[in-house]
Amino acid sequence: MNNKSPANSIFDGFKNNAMSKLGVTKLLSQSFSPNFGGGSSSKPGHAASADDVSAAASSHHHGGSSSAASAAEHLLHKDIAAVAQGGWNVTKSLMNVKADEDNHDRCQSLIELNKEPPAVPSEKVGQINFGLEYDYQQNTLILRIIAAKDLPAMDLSGTSDPYVRVTLLPDKKHRLDTKVKRRTLNPRWNETLYFQGFTMQKLHNRTLHLHVFDYDRFSRDDSIGETYIELNNVDFTAKPVFWKDLTAPLKDKCGHLLTSLSYNPMTNNLTLGIIEARNLKAMDINGKSDPYVKVWLHVGDKKVEKRKSIVFKCNLNPIFDEKFEYTLPVEQLREAALEVMVMDFDNIGRNELIGKITISSNKNATGQLEAQHWKDMLSKPKQSVEYWHRLKPE
């Protein structure tokens, strides 16, 4: 069995054929690329030059052909070592480049993972300022509704028409309303409301419920936010004055949906991105939902096209990451609207609505934020504009 390596075979060839100085020089110059080195240096990584071969052959001139072969063998050993060393250096460099790329990719992945997700809008919807007193002689609770601030805009004009409805729970029949303040997000009422015939003992079993609404002349008034205060915890002798955070009513807490919009006027392409939802309302007895998104494109009073996302089982925080594209001419944008419904899938019964929004520039928008999203899309053609929207009940 022949166990000789290719390099040993080359050496044997040199010995047997007693190659001349010119032949060795020619072979070396053709066989080893100067890319691994060059010049007369004998350091690793440099090939031997023709002068090196000539000098080595001359020093063994009196030894005849065997001396020449021996010199060639010596130089070839040195050159192969140089080539090998150079190849190792190249391989090592490539490995370093690969390692750098891997580290860069790993760092990029870590950066992506550590990126703060888009902030979900706060459940706070403004604050309300009120004061409490008690008339012990008349057994009357005196409530002073002073003001509110930072209310959300519920109308397309970017304002609201707020008023306050006050109830002493659980007796819903004892209900009083303030006057409506027109077109303001920071209303000042300075109104005093009286609940007569309530002994202190009776009041200690009541909860004061303040509910701020947006008045609508032509449809049902929209809920803005509410707050509660247990009256058994109130020191009426101090005549306390409160600033309380308003939160979306529990029945209106359907969750939030992150969407994106873009419009390309060159291609008439309207793209709606359904990115993710958070804190969806649980619709099933297991405390979960099976959400999917259904979208209708409206143009005027007509439903033009329907799209659906995939269903996520037992998930209140699904990441949809889907895009729906529509062809919509520029002249139809003014009348167009996207009705986006988050549904709970049911194998047996009817699919239920979790919450919905309508994004549009016209009166069909379900809120000022939805209208603003559409306007921002139009003002930034070809760009994707992301908004968090609070889902609304039907």
Side-chain angles (χ1 to χ4, degrees):
M1 180 179 294
N2 185 9
N3 294 322
K4 288 185 177 182
S5 67
N8 288 333
S9 299
I10 294 175
F11 295 148
D12 290 343
F14 282 146
K15 293 176 183 178
N16 295 333
N17 296 314
M19 295 182 70
S20 66
K21 178 174 71 175
L22 181 60
V24 174
T25 303
K26 185 176 181 181
L27 178 63
L28 290 177
S29 64
Q30 290 176 349
S31 299
F32 303 107
S33 168
N35 290 336
F36 291 109
S40 59
S41 172
S42 59
K43 293 181 181 179
H46 293 271
S49 66
D51 291 337
D52 292 333
V53 177
S54 177
S58 298
S59 65
H60 292 81
H61 176 70
H62 295 291
S65 60
S66 61
S67 298
S70 177
E73 179 182 353
H74 172 73
L75 288 174
L76 189 57
H77 265 301
K78 186 166 70 172
D79 238 31
I80 289 176
V83 172
Q85 180 65 35
W88 165 248
N89 289 337
V90 171
T91 304
K92 188 175 179 181
S93 298
L94 291 173
M95 289 171 66
N96 289 337
V97 170
K98 179 71 171 110
D100 289 342
E101 290 176 351
D102 290 343
N103 288 333
H104 179 267
D105 292 342
R106 196 174 295 111
C107 290
Q108 286 298 110
S109 299
L110 288 173
I111 290 171
E112 292 296 324
L113 286 173
N114 288 321
K115 269 185 179 178
E116 285 292 328
V120 179
S122 170
E123 287 292 335
K124 295 179 182 179
V125 285
Q127 291 183 310
I128 188 166
N129 183 207
F130 61 97
L132 288 173
E133 295 181 39
Y134 186 74
D135 186 335
Y136 288 89
Q137 292 182 345
Q138 301 294 327
N139 290 334
T140 300
L141 173 67
I142 303 171
L143 170 64
R144 190 159 55 98
I145 304 293
I146 303 169
K149 66 179 181 180
D150 301 329
L151 299 180
M154 305 297 286
D155 302 330
L156 291 178
S157 61
T159 61
S160 294
D161 302 315
Y163 69 93
V164 184
R165 176 165 293 167
V166 184
T167 311
L168 287 179
L169 299 176
D171 302 328
K172 293 186 179 180
K173 63 180 180 179
H174 294 99
R175 187 177 76 185
L176 297 173
D177 291 352
T178 67
K179 295 178 181 178
V180 175
K181 294 298 178 179
R182 298 285 184 176
R183 297 183 179 181
T184 177
L185 302 180
N186 300 283
R188 295 194 65 84
W189 289 282
N190 287 318
E191 287 189 44
T192 303
L193 306 177
Y194 300 91
F195 290 88
Q196 298 176 333
F198 281 88
T199 65
M200 185 58 67
Q201 184 179 359
K202 193 175 180 180
L203 275 183
H204 282 175
N205 295 320
R206 297 294 184 270
T207 298
L208 181 66
H209 178 216
L210 304 180
H211 196 162
V212 182
F213 285 91
D214 171 54
Y215 173 77
D216 197 316
R217 187 174 183 179
F218 300 106
S219 63
R220 187 179 67 179
D221 296 343
D222 295 319
S223 170
I224 293 178
E226 62 185 354
T227 190
Y228 298 84
I229 184 168
E230 301 289 340
L231 293 180
N232 63 342
N233 295 324
V234 176
D235 178 9
F236 289 99
T237 61
K239 299 182 179 180
V241 176
F242 303 90
W243 273 105
K244 289 284 187 179
D245 290 331
L246 295 168
T247 59
L250 186 61
K251 66 183 181 65
D252 291 346
K253 290 182 180 179
C254 304
H256 289 85
L257 182 67
L258 179 61
T259 64
S260 66
L261 280 179
S262 65
Y263 184 74
N264 189 335
M266 304 298 294
T267 60
N268 292 335
N269 267 11
L270 171 66
T271 303
L272 168 66
I274 305 297
I275 302 171
E276 66 173 301
R278 292 191 191 170
N279 306 316
L280 294 180
K281 185 177 180 179
M283 305 295 287
D284 301 332
I285 57 174
N286 63 359
K288 299 290 185 179
S289 294
D290 302 320
Y292 70 94
V293 178
K294 180 169 67 174
V295 182
W296 271 106
L297 170 64
H298 296 250
V299 177
D301 296 328
K302 294 182 180 179
K303 289 185 175 181
V304 177
E305 192 172 351
K306 180 176 71 174
R307 300 288 183 86
K308 288 183 180 181
S309 75
I310 62 172
V311 177
F312 283 77
K313 291 289 185 179
C314 299
N315 198 328
L316 299 181
N317 299 281
I319 299 177
F320 295 100
D321 198 21
E322 293 196 39
K323 288 186 178 180
F324 303 135
E325 291 191 358
Y326 305 90
T327 300
L328 190 69
V330 175
E331 56 269 20
Q332 293 183 356
L333 284 174
R334 187 181 297 274
E335 298 181 349
L338 288 169
E339 184 183 17
V340 184
M341 295 166 280
V342 180
M343 308 292 295
D344 174 50
F345 176 80
D346 199 321
N347 279 317
I348 302 173
R350 182 182 176 185
N351 297 341
E352 296 179 279
L353 176 71
I354 296 176
K356 63 183 284 188
I357 55 169
T358 300
I359 308 173
S360 175
S361 63
N362 58 40
K363 63 181 180 180
N364 292 324
T366 48
Q368 190 269 340
L369 198 63
E370 288 85 331
Q372 189 62 47
H373 195 178
W374 190 273
K375 291 176 183 177
D376 285 353
M377 172 194 73
L378 296 179
S379 67
K380 301 174 182 178
K382 300 182 183 179
Q383 296 184 39
S384 182
V385 182
E386 292 186 0
Y387 265 68
W388 275 105
H389 294 283
R390 194 177 83 187
L391 295 169
K392 298 171 173 62
E394 194 166 17

